[in-house]
Amino acid sequence: MKQQFLPEISKTIVLVGLMGAGKTCIGQRLANALNLPFVDADDEIEKAAGCSISDIFDLYGEPKFRDGEKKVISRLLNEPIHVLATGGGAFVNRDTRERIKKNAISIWIRADIELLLSRTRSRNNRPLLKNTNPRAKLQQLINQRYPSYSQADIVIDSGYEAPDITVKQVISALETFNVSMRDR
Ligand code: S3P
C-alpha cells in the first residue's frame, strides 16, 4: 500500500460534530496514524465526576454537565499535543469554541442524518436522545449546531466508507491546512 505523507502537527487536533458522526472512531485511528495520544473528552468528564454522563444528566442536570465539559476541555487543551474527540455540544459553547480555535486545530466530522441515526440507535448512553423522537431531536441539533460546527478549521464529510478512508482524508486536509497557514 502507498505510504501517506504525514503532516507536521504543532497543535492538538480537536474533533467536533454531532453524536454518531464518528469522532471517537476516527479520532482513535487518526491518533494512531499520527503517533499521538488519543483522548475522549466524555471519558475525561466521567473520570472527573466519578459517574457516567447519563448519571450526571440525571443527578445534576445538563447545565452542570456543560460546566464540567467546559472545564475538562480547557484543561485538556493545556496538555501536550494529542487528538481530542469532544462531545457533540462542546464546540457550541462560545468559550470552549474560542479556546479550541486559539489553541488547537478543529475538525468537523460531518455525517448525514441517516448515518447519525443508524449509529446512535444501537446504544442508549446519550441522554439527549432518550425519551424523545431521535430523528426530530437530531434534526433540531443539526439546525442549532451547524452554524457553530462550520467555524471549525477543517470540515470532513464522513459517510459509509471504511473509517481508514476518512482518516486519510483528514490527514490530507491537515497537510493542506498547514500549507495555507504557512502561506499566510
Ligand atoms: C452530547 C453528546 C455526547 C455527550 C453528551 C451530550 C451532545 O457525546 O457529550 O451526551 O450534546 O451532543 P458524543 O457526541 O460523543 O455522543
Side-chain angles (χ1 to χ4, degrees):
M1 217 207 305
K2 211 175 114 207
Q3 190 79 33
Q4 188 174 23
F5 180 77
L6 292 180
E8 206 178 294
I9 304 298
S10 55
K11 287 177 173 182
T12 284
I13 298 169
V14 178
L15 303 183
V16 307
L18 275 183
M19 298 174 268
K23 291 161 292 175
T24 303
C25 167
I26 302 300
Q28 281 168 336
R29 286 171 166 78
L30 179 67
N32 200 23
L34 296 174
N35 215 0
L36 289 174
F38 171 74
V39 181
D40 186 290
D42 283 345
D43 289 348
E44 294 295 313
I45 296 164
E46 290 185 336
K47 267 190 234 160
C51 62
S52 70
I53 293 201
S54 290
D55 285 347
I56 304 175
F57 270 74
D58 285 349
L59 296 170
Y60 311 106
E62 184 173 349
K64 201 84 187 146
F65 168 76
R66 297 297 170 200
D67 210 41
E69 180 174 53
K70 191 167 131 180
K71 285 187 188 134
V72 164
I73 292 176
S74 170
R75 167 175 63 79
L76 292 171
L77 288 171
N78 285 322
E79 291 192 357
I81 294 173
H82 57 280
V83 175
L84 175 63
T86 59
F91 203 60
V92 179
N93 178 283
R94 205 171 75 185
D95 288 348
T96 300
R97 190 168 62 245
E98 281 172 3
R99 221 167 252 145
I100 293 173
K101 291 285 293 172
K102 188 161 173 259
N103 300 299
I105 302 171
S106 47
I107 304 181
W108 174 17
I109 305 292
R110 184 168 59 186
D112 73 26
I113 190 162
E114 301 307 328
L115 193 56
L116 299 174
L117 270 170
S118 71
R119 295 233 191 91
T120 49
R121 199 171 281 140
S122 56
R123 293 184 67 189
N124 195 26
N125 62 341
R126 293 178 167 105
L128 293 183
L129 298 180
K130 275 185 197 161
N131 308 319
T132 186
N133 175 332
R135 181 183 291 274
K137 184 65 190 182
L138 280 169
Q139 189 56 58
Q140 183 198 29
L141 293 175
I142 286 173
N143 299 343
Q144 282 172 353
R145 293 178 172 180
Y146 276 22
S148 300
Y149 296 156
S150 66
Q151 294 176 49
D153 296 314
I154 294 170
V155 182
I156 296 290
D157 279 306
S158 158
Y160 292 87
E161 66 280 348
D164 286 345
I165 304 285
T166 310
V167 170
K168 284 200 168 121
Q169 287 168 357
V170 171
I171 290 173
S172 301
L174 281 167
E175 183 53 26
T176 309
F177 179 75
N178 278 351
V179 171
S180 74
M181 294 307 280
R182 251 178 255 137
D183 291 349
R184 270 194 176 180

